[in-house]
Amino acid sequence: MEKEKIKVLIADDHSLFRKGLEQLLELEEDIEVVGEASNGKEVVEKTLQLNPDVILMDINMPVQNGIYAIKELKERGCQAKVIVLTVHDDREYLLEAVRIGASGYIMKDADVDHLLKAIRDVYRGETYIQPNLSGKLIKDFDKMSYHSVRKQFEQHNLTPREIEVLLLIADGKNNKEIANELYISEKTVKNHVSNIFKKPDVSDRTQAAIYVFKNHLK
């Protein structure tokens, strides 16, 4: 039985870039490019028509930019996962894209391996931020307080201590730093981290930070 392929829609206003990316992706046995779009309005139309699994979305496009296209797709209830593929490494673009529902963010000059991993990760329901960009997201968490988010985490049955640990993870602190700040052992921190990753269904520290941001940072 033939393995089901990941259906990808490429959205970019440069034809040569779209064609080059299509040729690259078609070399992968588990990926199929089902269509192209040259502006944000066309992205929405093609998504409704072709039902892709993953959309590679440029930000700067005519008629309607990528950010507005993502918003419209979410408002229409489209289930396609969006990876922002852009030249912009600005923190504001990254934060806005994650806030409105993008599942991935990667630069156009990234290695092919990063792009392929991003496509496969978001297809599985994970979030992918290019590794050297994740720090831009985590910086926002030093403004968060335990009391401001405690009630919002109760739905995941996190204990008060796990909430404290999660916020410190999101602040970019390692286990040793968390242990020192909370006056507990590193082993205890590791146990809390293991429990946290099971409850919000995230698998690493960057995804934990993204999870907090997407659900609770206003």
Side-chain angles (χ1 to χ4, degrees), residues 45 52 62 79 86 94-95 100 135 142 149 152 178 184 186 192 216:
E45 294 172 351
Q79 299 301 307
T86 179
L94 172 58
L95 295 177
I100 64 176
D142 58 354
V149 297
Q152 295 171 326
I178 294 173
I184 57 180
E186 282 191 63
H192 287 314
H216 305 286

Side-chain angles (χ1 to χ4, degrees), residues 6-10 25 31-35 52-54 56 119:
I6 304 171
K7 297 181 293 183
V8 175
L9 174 67
I10 301 172
L25 295 178
I31 297 174
E32 176 188 5
V33 176
V34 295
D53 299 307
V54 176
L56 299 179
I119 292 172

